[in-house]
Amino acid sequence: MSSATGLPNIYSVELSPPDISGYASGNTGIPYIWTFDSGVAGPHVAITAVVHGNEPCGAIAIDWLMQMNLRPLRGALSFAFVNVAAYEAFDPEVPDATRWVEEDFNRLWGEGVLDDPDRRVTPEVERAREIRPWLSTVDLLLDIHSMQHKTDPLIIAGPTVKGRTLGGQIGWPGIVVTDKGHAEGQRMRDFADFADPASPRNAALVECGQHWEAEAADVAKDCCIGFLRATGAVAPDFQQDRMNARPPKPETKYYEVMQPVTIETDNFRFAQDWRGFEHLKQGTLIGHDGDREVLAPNDPTVLIMPSRRLWPGKTAVRLARPIEG
């Protein structure tokens, strides 16, 4: 469990990951995956959590929904705890160390990756192969994540217009980012038809705030409510009392990632301690990758999720611009 060993912990752990062992049996034949069918025609809607083991807000949100005994008004509704092995190893004393067991689960979903006979079989590959048949039946997906730095929560809408539309319909949080993913590998939210502009299947990934801040759990719940309402899985006033007590629904703002900065050398360093959503003037020095300067290409250039894992092949930061919805 050394995915981030050596990174100093700069944020306190305010969240207590819930015990999810009671969900281990599932009801689908796949451990930790539960599906409830309404018997009424409609889409298969799913919410996933703990794709990364050190991101407890999604587990908190799904546990909260499961305890309601929530059932869909139409179609089917699934809840899935994904990288359970990494989640169960979470240690608040070294909270960055269990993002994964051996590799990033959320980079395995490109065409042919899981079927490559020469690929090393890690716990993440085994689990991805186990859940893929179920994932292939999902029409509308919300994948819950969190971030390294305390910055504004956001929805990652993927590369298509339909993804951006779904992000706006969800409504919480109020920032929707369109992007094409990472050079390192394809995310689960971009799997198969989710990224096909011609398919009605669709997905959103929400980054709920810093991994361990208490507010991230509330943002995860808010986003689940917005997603379930938008998909028609629940009534339009589902959890309205809760939403009345929360900050009002924000005006949605949209951004498009122009390019990810993929690290090429063993010596990448940022020019400043960027935390995310800084608006930079064109030509501003963002950092160095070896001897190469990384400069802001546009005015403004908006920094999306600068990383602390500055290793070759990883995404250091995504460079975005504001766009119309």
Side-chain angles (χ1 to χ4, degrees):
M1 299 287 180
S2 58
S3 67
T5 299
L7 290 179
N9 183 25
I10 60 176
Y11 295 107
S12 61
V13 178
E14 301 172 358
L15 294 176
S16 296
D19 179 2
I20 63 171
S21 60
Y23 301 120
S25 63
N27 69 349
T28 60
I30 304 172
Y32 289 97
I33 296 183
W34 294 77
T35 298
F36 307 100
D37 197 316
S38 68
V40 178
H44 181 185
V45 173
I47 300 177
T48 50
V50 294
V51 161
H52 296 129
N54 65 336
E55 301 178 2
C57 62
I60 292 169
I62 288 183
D63 180 51
W64 175 69
L65 292 167
M66 286 286 286
Q67 290 189 42
M68 294 180 196
N69 293 314
L70 183 65
R71 299 295 183 266
L73 295 180
R74 64 188 183 101
L77 175 60
S78 287
F79 301 116
F81 301 94
V82 178
N83 195 348
V84 177
Y87 176 79
E88 290 180 337
F90 180 79
D91 182 350
E93 296 300 317
V94 281
D96 254 322
T98 55
R99 180 173 170 83
W100 54 73
V101 180
E102 293 187 24
E103 65 177 316
D104 195 331
F105 184 94
N106 217 25
R107 303 292 183 269
L108 298 176
W109 296 95
E111 185 175 356
V113 171
L114 293 177
D115 297 316
D116 182 352
D118 297 322
R119 201 181 198 288
R120 183 169 63 100
V121 179
T122 63
E124 280 76 18
V125 168
E126 290 181 329
R127 179 62 168 164
R129 288 173 175 172
E130 183 176 47
I131 75 168
R132 179 172 54 173
W134 165 82
L135 185 65
S136 297
T137 71
V138 172
D139 297 305
L140 299 168
L141 173 70
L142 175 66
D143 187 24
I144 304 175
H145 289 256
S146 53
M147 299 181 278
Q148 295 177 66
H149 287 300
K150 284 190 177 182
T151 188
D152 292 340
L154 56 93
I155 287 176
I156 298 289
T160 64
V161 172
K162 69 178 184 180
R164 185 163 70 241
T165 299
L166 176 61
Q169 291 171 338
I170 292 169
W172 290 277
I175 295 171
V176 177
V177 177
T178 298
D179 79 329
K180 295 180 180 179
H182 304 273
E184 183 187 3
Q186 188 165 293
R187 302 166 300 203
M188 191 173 71
R189 68 123 291 124
D190 301 311
F191 171 61
D193 287 346
F194 293 145
D196 180 356
S199 171
R201 298 178 69 220
N202 207 349
L205 184 159
V206 59
E207 301 280 3
C208 297
Q210 203 281 328
H211 294 320
W212 314 300
E213 65 176 322
E215 178 65 10
D218 282 321
V219 172
K221 292 175 183 179
D222 294 347
C223 194
C224 286
I225 292 167
F227 173 72
L228 292 171
R229 288 177 173 183
T231 59
V234 298
D237 62 351
F238 173 67
Q239 286 290 307
Q240 189 60 49
D241 287 347
R242 172 188 164 80
M243 299 317 299
N244 289 342
R246 292 283 290 154
K249 180 177 177 179
E251 177 185 357
T252 303
K253 298 179 180 179
Y254 297 87
Y255 297 85
E256 179 182 42
V257 171
M258 300 172 288
Q259 64 189 76
V261 176
T262 302
I263 300 171
E264 299 176 356
T265 75
D266 289 316
N267 187 25
F268 187 99
R269 64 269 188 208
F270 284 116
Q272 297 185 39
D273 183 19
W274 309 116
R275 297 299 174 97
F277 275 97
E278 293 88 354
H279 285 53
L280 307 183
K281 293 183 178 180
Q282 185 176 18
T284 299
L285 178 65
I286 296 170
H288 290 86
D289 195 355
D291 295 330
R292 179 175 67 90
E293 290 186 335
V294 179
L295 304 175
N298 281 66
D299 189 7
T301 293
V302 183
L303 301 188
I304 304 294
M305 295 176 63
S307 179
R308 300 175 66 214
R309 291 181 290 273
L310 301 179
W311 312 328
K314 295 288 185 184
T315 300
V317 65
R318 285 167 267 197
L319 309 181
R321 64 186 181 93
I323 60 171
E324 296 296 321

